[in-house]
Amino acid sequence: MRARYRWKATVTAVNDATANANSEVPALLDLPPLSAAHFARIEDKVAAMMGTEADVVTMQGEALLPLEACIRSAVRPGSTALNIITGPYGETFGGWLRSCGAEVITISAPFTGAVSPQQVADALRENPAIDFVSLVHAEAATGNTNPVAEIGAVVREHGALLMLDAVASVGAEPLHTDEWGVDLCVIGGQKALAGPAGVSVASVSARAWERIAANEQAPRRSYLSLLDWKDRWIDGGRKALPHAPAQLEMLALEQAVDRVTAEGPAVVIARHRAAAAATRAGVRALGGLTPYVLRDEDAAPAATTLRAPEDLDAREIVAAALAVDAGVPLQAAAGALAEEMIRLNHYGRAADRGVVLASLAALAEGLRAVGADAAADAGAALKAAGDAWDATIGG
Ligand SMILES: *Cc1c(COP(=O)(O)O)cnc(C)c1O
């Protein structure tokens, strides 16, 4: 199974098409300046993709930058925050919330599932002072996804601000920022959008702006400041950029969004759903490994996490699989989960039938190489995965 070459061929073709036609290499230098109007147009495309008519702030850094900016802008001493932890990013948010002086109430869902709207409703009822809720939509790192529409409704009824980390979900599953009542929604381009890392976007609702403006502790004249962007860019009608934009990343972000729009967001989302369904079906047929997230509806479309057999180390299985086929998007989990969890990052261009099948084939051979006998026959796994893909895509 060498289907990954189809994936690589696609990527190469896209690069070729965007390269300067007269040059051997992509045109990355000596571009005309990115105008304020063009910058604003890119923001509008991203906002449309996020399902929001609220203001958006584009920050020149990885997605953790606007995530930290949102928390430091909206939270202050005296705030009570509900932090919902379903993976590693939630733990990071908890640290920021405490350092802003908030009292933090935590809901931790096991990484094998999602948080339920009922858990959130219970926490809000028991702690009426909660005025800020932080939630990760989907976790690429732990492979789960949370029911944001239902949670958003519960939070809205209570009246707290809702911050959503949608970095791993945008493009991979529906994202309806306004409809779901999300006040602060953060995305990046580098996961399902198959775009650049290094520019990130946060939407800010009118309610959130009010809260931020009233927060004396909100960063100002700072790289973490949302208010600076409001004062110097949004309130002036987005006519003059406050500094030189990260032009290459912005142009790449625009291309990524345009490409998703051209393919059709529903088609791109279906590819991601199919990748998760195919991986889970394939692994169940393969044996040895099991899906780490127990229920299909809690599984993130962007990445599937797998549990290694108890007597084997996930890192060794991944290394053996990559020795068979270095091109597949497999990795061992980080930190405490490294021994037991394998990640298949089937997002972006890797949300592809051939990539998923090649990954399963490599995993089967990797398992065999480290002495797991459950994986003797990869054929059944590939058949099950292909069937699940076709059933999801409908053809
Ligand atoms: C990847 C990811 C991030 C971090 O994005 P960076 O741009 O690398 O900072 C944050 N949250 C989630 C859920 C992610 O998957």
Side-chain angles (χ1 to χ4, degrees), residues 285-296:
L286 185 63
L289 304 170
T290 49
Y292 202 94
V293 174
L294 301 175
R295 304 191 314 164
D296 289 346

Side-chain angles (χ1 to χ4, degrees), residues 286-362:
L286 185 63
L289 304 170
T290 49
Y292 202 94
V293 174
L294 301 175
R295 304 191 314 164
D296 289 346
E297 58 265 43
D298 298 338
T304 299
T305 46
L306 304 169
R307 191 183 286 280
E310 232 156 61
D311 53 336
L312 292 172
D313 188 317
R315 292 165 294 193
E316 284 170 24
I317 298 170
V318 169
L322 291 176
V324 173
D325 189 344
V328 295
L330 277 171
Q331 73 180 91
L337 297 170
E339 277 177 32
E340 64 184 55
M341 186 190 279
I342 295 171
R343 272 173 71 176
L344 178 54
N345 297 315
H346 44 61
Y347 54 69
R349 309 304 286 174
D352 174 275
R353 194 178 193 276
V355 172
V356 170
L357 296 186
S359 303
L360 288 166

Side-chain angles (χ1 to χ4, degrees), residues 253-293:
L253 181 62
E254 181 175 38
Q255 278 194 9
V257 174
D258 285 350
R259 188 168 59 178
V260 169
T261 305
E263 187 180 347
V267 176
V268 177
I269 285 170
R271 270 200 289 112
H272 284 85
R273 247 189 322 119
T279 303
R280 292 171 69 81
V283 161
R284 285 178 177 135
L286 185 63
L289 304 170
T290 49
Y292 202 94
V293 174

Side-chain angles (χ1 to χ4, degrees), residues 75-82 97-98 101-105 127 129-131:
V75 177
R76 60 186 160 81
S79 299
T80 304
L82 175 63
L97 290 163
R98 279 182 205 94
E103 185 191 330
V104 181
I105 290 144
N127 305 277
I130 290 169
D131 56 16

